[in-house]
Amino acid sequence: MQKSSMRRFHINPKYIRIALITIAVLVVMIAIGGYVAYSKREVLLQKAISKATAKAKRDYNLDVKIGSARFTGMATVAFENISVVPQQRDSLFSVKRFDVSVKVLPLIFGNIKLGDVVLQDGHLNLTSVKGVKNFDFLFKKKKDTTDTGHKVDLSDVSNRLINEVLYKIPDNLSLKNFLTSFRDDSTTLTLLTTTASIKNGKLNSTINVNKGESTWHVDGKMVPSDKDIDIRLYAEGKKVELPLIEKKFKLKLNFDTITTRLSNVSHSSGETKINGYWSIRNLLLNHPGLSTQDIVVPNGSIDANFVVGSNFVSLDSSSVIHLKKLSAHPFIKYTLNPVKIYEVKFKTDWQNAQDVFDSFPTGMFESLEGIQVSGKLNYSLDMYLNWAHIDDMVFNSTLQKSNDFRILKYGKVDLGKLNKTFVYVPYEKGKPMPPHTIGPENPEFTPLNQISPNLRNAVMTAEDPSFYTNRGFVDESIRKSFITDIKEKKFKRGGSTISMQLIKNAFLTRNKTLSRKIEEILIVWLIENNRIMSKNRMLEVYFNIIEWGRGIYGISEASHYYFGKAPSELTLGESIFLASIVPNPKAGLYAFEPDGTLRQRLHGYFNLIGRLMAKRGLTEPDSNAYGFYNVRLREGLRRQIAPIDTATADSLIRQADNDDDAAGVGVTPVFEEPKKPNFFQRLFGKKDTAQAAMEKKIEETNDAIKARLKQEIEKVKAEYKYKIDNVDTAGKTKKEIKAEKKRLKEEGKEKERELKDRMP
């Protein structure tokens, strides 16, 4: 049986001879071709150089010169005295010696992979003097005559680009004296790489910064062929500093060490996936827009998993950010076409509350430094913006606490100080003003029950209609403020509740920084969610400390200053006027004519606030502008009002107080010039056409608000039904699952109530 098997698989010697002859012929042909190519390689090299220099001249106006170029081995080319000079610009690049070898095997498959590189005495010179850059050719778009109208596949482009970059990193590198310099009208930076080498997968380099100011090192693992890179940047005996960034952007930035690690790059199913790790130690930041003092991050890192699809770039939710003891999962996605879509999600899961506060960067939230808490916290952010439907932007930001969350000890600032008598020091342009005692010891202090209900209701209607039902934040108002800012391409609309305005005034400086805004949000959350203050006390303090005019603080001073009466005596019209100046108190007097009457531009605002109050049952409906015509400025102040033209006065009234969050979440003052009602219209209460139009507009606005809120309520119902039906059950007991569903149900109902409270 074995013999029959051998006979069955026996190969005829004739075929073996034919195969051997064929292989021999191919080897001879390859050898002949190789010999011809080898013998003519110098000619081919010169032709390639000539073609490349001509293309550089034609496409980029670059004058490329090469002193000499020759083969010094099978696949090694030696260049000498290379220079690149853009037309009518400073010299861009020069190098005395540049030897490069190409790996043969990848070349057979059409890939140029560098083997060995030797570079000596090079200079990359970047200049930007008087608006003229010697590298501006990089930003010029070339006309693509081969464009067929097909959309670019980002996944394919990114994969090819990464491979091109990795292939251009040589297996072995020997570099000496390579200078990189940048010079503009006010700044000069030089980086002299005295030595750099890659050998056996290890990178080492020494960089002299600004002629001896500091010495940097870049070292680590460098195996580009395996897509395995793990390198770090650090300085000798000091931090890595970037003075160029500080001069250009007023951003002080330095750090001990920064690490970059590329662990994997793969391309399949129309997606390119890039896995890496980045970390930084002792990062210091200082910028006027961030904080008034240095922000220090002792250690931070991210395990980042990027995904590039045909039309999108994303940071996958499997990525993890580490900040001291805190960890979080970010998700960021940018879709380019057919419509630009931005998605951001951020989730921390339940973490020890103390770890969260301990992980805050030093110098960012000074008021909370040293705070001690117990329990757990969980934060989530969900933002979705379709550029074609900006008004439908989704924004949800939630910080949850466990039932056992407690504040054991306040930080630098006593968050409970507003419950008792305290001293309030207002600031103007960074300078302290005379202190005010907020409490019964001060005769100017006005308890809440001695403030006219007209004023309380007018201010809440204008600034924060859901004050008594919200917990310091109104997501819908924040969402709308973002939409307005995006449309206007600047920070235009504020989104501060009364709680936020109170905390800003009572606990924080007036510095407009990102850290102060976040600190304000955190303090509001702590006070509102831990019942540190009652709503009545918050409103009482608010009325007694906010500014109502130039140097006028507290409602007692304001009511006597403008109208010569106590806060309890304020009429509806006077109250609506005072509500109108809260966003811009210094313009209060400009709302009046020299005879003490209000300028007509405020007529529409009075109707708007009055109608909203009437809808909520806070005042009686009125066809005569809700007290607008009865407001009279105190006689002693009228002589201080200089006669100015209407346009100038309106401009002054409209001016913002240069505060990004001066405006509340309610109604922004609307200025309109109606016709004055005639005698019979005043006598019989007949509406003039302007007033009728305004009331119709208010009615239409209210209907639109109702429709919008009803849609939002339905969205909330559907969203929480989905959440309840899809609760994560992994590793949880039935009791824990039931408790989570109950919590979600209550949270959904709370959001529904908040939306219903905003109904006009």
Side-chain angles (χ1 to χ4, degrees), residues 187-201:
T187 310
T188 299
L189 172 68
T190 62
L191 301 172
L192 175 61
T193 305
T194 55
T195 60
S197 66
I198 300 176
K199 190 173 182 179
N200 298 325

Side-chain angles (χ1 to χ4, degrees), residues 99-267:
D99 298 351
V100 57
S101 68
V102 179
K103 286 191 168 184
V104 176
L105 188 60
L107 193 61
I108 294 173
F109 296 98
N111 296 318
I112 300 175
K113 176 71 178 74
L114 301 186
D116 300 329
V117 168
V118 176
L119 192 152
Q120 293 180 3
D121 300 324
H123 184 194
L124 175 62
N125 177 45
L126 305 174
T127 62
S128 177
V129 180
K130 296 181 180 179
V132 179
K133 300 179 177 65
N134 70 341
F135 51 92
D136 54 5
F137 67 91
L138 295 171
F139 310 108
K140 292 179 181 178
K141 293 183 179 179
K142 290 198 309 176
K143 293 181 180 178
D144 189 356
T145 57
T146 63
D147 185 11
T148 59
H150 295 297
K151 292 180 180 178
V152 175
D153 187 325
L154 295 178
S155 172
D156 185 53
V157 169
S158 61
N159 183 56
R160 284 190 283 109
L161 181 61
I162 290 170
N163 284 324
E164 284 292 319
V165 171
L166 293 176
Y167 280 166
K168 298 306 179 286
I169 299 174
D171 288 343
N172 297 293
L173 169 69
S174 175
L175 182 149
K176 292 182 180 180
N177 298 325
F178 187 88
L179 176 65
T180 301
S181 62
F182 173 80
R183 177 173 60 89
D184 65 6
D185 298 322
S186 60
T187 310
T188 299
L189 172 68
T190 62
L191 301 172
L192 175 61
T193 305
T194 55
T195 60
S197 66
I198 300 176
K199 190 173 182 179
N200 298 325
K202 292 184 178 180
L203 167 67
N204 290 285
S205 66
T206 300
I207 304 168
N208 186 309
V209 182
N210 285 340
K211 299 179 180 179
E213 282 186 7
S214 64
T215 301
W216 295 355
H217 294 283
V218 179
D219 61 31
K221 188 177 183 181
M222 179 68 72
V223 188
S225 56
D226 295 337
K227 297 173 182 175
D228 187 6
I229 297 173
D230 187 355
I231 58 176
R232 60 177 185 148
L233 166 65
Y234 62 96
E236 277 187 17
K238 59 188 300 188
K239 288 191 169 189
V240 175
E241 298 177 329
L242 303 170
L244 179 63
I245 292 178
E246 185 172 0
K247 288 182 180 179
K248 283 289 183 184
F249 305 105
K250 296 181 180 179
L251 172 62
K252 182 180 179 182
L253 187 155
N254 59 58
F255 53 86
D256 283 351
T257 308
I258 188 167
T259 301
T260 299
R261 184 185 304 154
L262 177 67
S263 54
N264 185 47
V265 178
S266 61
H267 180 73

Side-chain angles (χ1 to χ4, degrees), residues 360-604:
F360 290 152
T362 305
M364 195 163 184
F365 309 130
E366 187 177 4
S367 302
L368 300 175
E369 288 181 6
I371 191 171
Q372 294 181 13
V373 295
S374 63
K376 293 182 179 294
L377 293 174
N378 176 21
Y379 177 73
S380 64
L381 168 70
D382 183 8
M383 191 278 285
Y384 179 91
L385 174 63
N386 184 325
W387 205 255
H389 303 285
I390 295 177
D391 289 334
D392 294 328
M393 174 185 177
V394 174
F395 179 83
N396 293 302
S397 175
T398 306
L399 179 60
Q400 297 174 303
K401 67 184 180 75
S402 60
N403 293 331
D404 60 345
F405 177 84
R406 298 287 185 276
I407 299 176
L408 306 177
K409 178 186 175 184
Y410 294 129
K412 285 189 175 181
V413 172
D414 178 4
L415 301 184
K417 75 172 187 177
L418 303 190
N419 285 320
K420 49 187 180 289
T421 299
F422 67 97
V423 176
Y424 170 61
V425 180
Y427 281 79
E428 285 294 334
K429 297 180 179 179
K431 296 180 180 179
M433 305 299 288
H436 290 66
T437 299
I438 308 301
E441 295 85 345
N442 180 1
E444 295 289 342
F445 176 78
T446 307
L448 188 63
N449 60 9
Q450 294 179 26
I451 298 174
S452 169
N454 290 323
L455 180 66
R456 283 183 272 159
N457 293 329
V459 171
M460 282 191 288
T461 299
E463 292 295 306
D464 189 355
S466 62
F467 170 71
Y468 275 102
T469 56
N470 67 49
R471 291 196 175 182
F473 311 100
V474 179
D475 286 347
E476 179 64 9
S477 295
I478 296 173
R479 188 186 75 86
K480 286 182 177 179
S481 70
F482 281 142
I483 291 171
T484 301
D485 294 341
I486 291 167
K487 287 181 176 179
E488 299 292 334
K489 296 182 179 179
K490 61 181 179 180
F491 295 108
K492 185 173 182 180
R493 172 179 173 145
S496 293
T497 59
I498 284 177
S499 302
M500 294 171 75
Q501 294 178 52
L502 171 64
I503 298 312
K504 179 192 70 176
N505 282 284
F507 290 107
L508 305 172
T509 66
R510 297 297 292 271
N511 296 308
K512 301 171 185 64
T513 63
L514 177 62
S515 63
R516 194 225 74 189
K517 189 65 181 177
I518 298 174
E519 188 175 17
E520 172 189 317
I521 292 169
L522 285 171
I523 293 175
V524 169
W525 184 89
L526 287 168
I527 288 176
E528 287 273 9
N529 286 273
N530 294 278
R531 297 189 173 93
I532 294 175
M533 291 177 66
S534 69
K535 286 286 190 178
N536 280 344
R537 176 59 179 172
M538 293 178 78
L539 196 61
E540 181 177 77
V541 175
Y542 175 79
F543 277 115
N544 278 276
I545 69 171
I546 66 170
E547 184 180 10
W548 299 90
R550 196 173 297 277
I552 307 299
Y553 294 92
I555 188 55
S556 179
E557 288 185 22
S559 59
H560 286 96
Y561 176 76
Y562 288 106
F563 305 117
K565 59 175 65 173
S568 60
E569 301 170 335
L570 291 169
T571 66
L572 176 61
E574 292 163 347
S575 297
I576 294 177
F577 159 74
L578 288 170
S580 75
I581 66 172
V582 170
N584 186 15
K586 290 182 176 61
L589 286 179
Y590 295 111
F592 292 96
E593 299 281 2
D595 64 357
T597 60
L598 286 169
R599 293 185 180 274
Q600 288 295 311
R601 291 278 183 177
L602 274 172
H603 185 277

Side-chain angles (χ1 to χ4, degrees), residues 318-338:
S318 59
S319 304
V320 185
I321 292 175
H322 302 279
L323 189 65
K324 293 175 73 174
K325 301 176 184 178
L326 180 67
S327 61
H329 295 275
F331 172 77
I332 303 172
K333 184 176 181 181
Y334 172 45
T335 303
L336 280 78
N337 54 64

Side-chain angles (χ1 to χ4, degrees), residues 315-355:
L315 176 65
D316 192 70
S317 59
S318 59
S319 304
V320 185
I321 292 175
H322 302 279
L323 189 65
K324 293 175 73 174
K325 301 176 184 178
L326 180 67
S327 61
H329 295 275
F331 172 77
I332 303 172
K333 184 176 181 181
Y334 172 45
T335 303
L336 280 78
N337 54 64
V339 177
K340 289 183 179 179
I341 298 174
Y342 302 86
E343 298 174 70
V344 178
K345 295 179 187 292
F346 193 84
K347 187 177 180 181
T348 63
D349 294 326
W350 288 100
Q351 312 227 358
N352 287 328
Q354 190 62 55
D355 289 347

